[in-house]
Amino acid sequence: MKPILVVDDDEIVVSMVSAILRRGGYEVRTAGDGSEALGVITKESIGIVISDWDMPKMDGITLCRAIRSHSGDGYIYVILLTSQTKKEQRVAGLAAGADDFLSKPFDPAELIERVRVAERILQLETRDALIFAMAKLAESRDPETGQHLERVQRFSAILCRELAIDSPYSDQISAEFMRLIYQTSPLHDIGKVGIPDAVLQKPGKLTDDEFEIMKRHTEIGAEAIRETLKHAPSAKYLQMAMEIAISHHEKFDGSGYPRALKGSAIPLSGRIIALVDVYDALTTKRVYKPAFPHAKALDIISDGAGSHFDPVIVQAFLRAEAEFDLVRVLMAEDGERSPTAGTLSPTLTNASTGHPSEAIATPTTGAPHTC
């Protein structure tokens, strides 16, 4: 945990707050006003700032604004100590960048609990950033994927919201489920770090043996996450990440891999990512195909209902297809904004020389093998 910076022009308050925090096991820095606080933030990495609202030279509101414009290493959580109780004043504090308020006089136990809340929020930010960094590291080995991870996140959020509103899965799609799938979906292909470049980056079609190697990325990714889970067995985000990694290439009719799971035996998270992953692969350019038009992707996914995809999820996708198309356009890579179907013949059948789970056309230059 980074040090906590206590800012107040009253030395007694600074001493009292600092003592409470140190008894709680926190490392503390102090400043007598906003200007001095900024000097500390510039020189040292600070996690939480606890500042008085009313101070000479630079008050707490001005300090908040300065902190938010500061381009340091990570988010700084700001708690304002204040006797301001009017709604308008609190709104002004939030608008300036304050995260929380603690009324004077304050209770020591409440101060510690407010700091613990700040810690949890900062840990979430760090965890999300780490998850995405890990996913980007794996994706960096595949030069074609562009903003694939970001689009998969957006698509999964749209689909989860639609399923939560009106579907047989409404009771399973809680706010927590939506948050976790958005957070962990970038890790779906993390196992590709274990696939040799000769296979992962091959521009032509894969041989049968190469395709078997490619399929292993699901198990490699799940195993890596499973090992991490041993150190944090109650971490729900790791549990979902493992589910997605191992199951996002399973098919509803049992013809997918690596376990040939069928129907509801496939985790719901995996069924959702299976569809959004395919939609993104269809509508973006690959070495073996141009980007398909949105309408063509709709036809392919619709045809896959009950075989490749869960029919309930396909129906939710079709209800939200305009939003998918909007995200596709807004986050399109260069050259993908006006895709044409060309002469390709989309198919959902298995191909021993390609990547059957992607439901992408098999062009004359070879079958697809990247996600």
Side-chain angles (χ1 to χ4, degrees):
M1 177 66 188
K2 297 177 182 178
I4 299 174
L5 176 59
V6 179
V7 189
D8 202 307
D9 59 314
D10 188 329
E11 293 183 4
I12 295 176
V13 173
V14 170
S15 297
M16 182 170 60
V17 173
S18 298
I20 293 168
L21 293 172
R22 289 189 177 106
R23 283 200 300 271
Y26 297 101
E27 189 176 354
V28 179
R29 303 290 184 269
T30 63
D33 58 49
S35 298
E36 186 180 346
L38 285 179
V40 174
I41 291 169
T42 301
K43 296 175 183 177
E44 188 170 359
S45 183
I46 298 295
I48 301 171
V49 170
I50 301 174
S51 174
D52 188 24
W53 183 305
D54 299 307
M55 296 182 293
K57 296 183 181 179
M58 180 185 289
D59 63 15
I61 290 292
T62 307
L63 175 60
C64 279
R65 294 194 185 100
I67 288 173
R68 294 296 165 243
S69 65
H70 175 67
S71 58
D73 57 341
Y75 188 81
I76 298 176
Y77 192 96
V78 180
I79 302 173
L80 285 180
L81 296 174
T82 179
S83 56
Q84 309 282 0
T85 57
K86 292 183 179 179
K87 175 183 175 181
E88 296 80 6
Q89 294 167 326
R90 295 295 179 103
V91 170
L94 291 171
D99 295 289
D100 199 1
F101 304 93
L102 188 59
S103 298
K104 290 181 176 181
F106 60 86
D107 179 81
E110 183 181 4
L111 171 63
I112 291 296
E113 289 307 314
R114 300 274 183 174
V115 169
R116 287 175 178 166
V117 168
E119 283 185 295
R120 289 197 294 271
I121 291 172
L122 292 173
Q123 286 168 359
L124 284 172
E125 183 205 28
T126 301
R127 186 177 71 191
D128 288 354
L130 182 58
I131 287 172
F132 207 80
M134 290 170 59
K136 275 294 186 184
L137 180 63
E139 191 186 50
S140 67
R141 297 184 59 233
D142 186 350
E144 289 194 304
T145 49
Q147 295 188 74
H148 173 64
L149 299 183
E150 292 89 339
R151 289 191 298 266
V152 165
Q153 281 188 310
R154 297 282 189 89
F155 294 146
S156 66
I158 294 169
L159 197 49
C160 280
R161 188 209 60 219
E162 196 64 36
L163 287 166
I165 293 172
D166 182 23
S167 83
Y169 303 140
S170 296
D171 60 339
Q172 298 179 54
I173 310 290
S174 63
E176 182 183 37
F177 182 97
M178 288 189 279
R179 176 179 59 80
L180 288 173
I181 201 168
Y182 182 87
Q183 180 185 62
T184 59
S185 60
L187 293 175
H188 66 282
D189 277 337
I190 190 69
K192 284 187 175 180
V193 297
I195 302 301
D197 287 345
V199 174
L200 184 64
Q201 299 179 7
K202 185 176 180 179
K205 64 181 180 181
L206 300 178
T207 65
D208 290 352
D209 289 343
E210 288 170 337
F211 181 56
E212 290 302 314
I213 293 172
M214 176 65 79
K215 287 164 64 175
R216 288 177 51 213
H217 81 274
T218 54
E219 295 172 296
I220 293 170
E223 182 57 31
I225 298 169
R226 187 179 293 110
E227 287 299 312
T228 306
L229 258 172
K230 291 179 180 179
H231 300 282
S234 63
K236 292 182 179 180
Y237 75 97
L238 289 175
Q239 293 168 0
M240 181 172 284
M242 184 172 66
E243 283 183 356
I244 291 171
I246 195 68
S247 68
H248 71 286
H249 284 301
E250 299 288 357
K251 292 186 179 182
F252 199 71
D253 64 2
S255 63
Y257 67 85
R259 297 175 177 172
L261 299 179
K262 186 175 181 178
S264 60
I266 306 168
L268 180 56
S269 59
R271 282 176 271 157
I272 290 170
I273 298 304
L275 189 149
V276 301
D277 192 31
V278 166
Y279 176 82
D280 191 62
L282 288 168
T283 55
T284 52
K285 183 180 178 181
R286 293 292 187 266
V287 68
Y288 47 80
K289 59 173 279 296
F292 285 7
H294 173 71
K296 179 65 72 175
L298 291 186
D299 290 342
I300 294 173
I301 290 175
S302 296
D303 289 345
S307 54
H308 192 143
F309 308 112
D310 183 331
V312 172
I313 295 175
V314 171
Q315 287 303 309
F317 164 72
L318 293 175
R319 291 196 299 271
E321 55 89 8
E323 290 183 74
F324 272 71
D325 192 27
L326 179 61
V327 171
R328 176 191 68 84
V329 172
L330 293 176
M331 301 184 70
E333 310 295 336
D334 291 343
E336 293 177 1
R337 292 191 179 276
S338 300
T340 55
T343 58
L344 301 180
S345 300
T347 178
L348 286 167
T349 59
N350 287 334
S352 62
T353 56
H355 199 312
S357 66
E358 290 199 14
I360 304 177
T362 303
T364 56
T365 54
H369 58 85
T370 56
C371 297

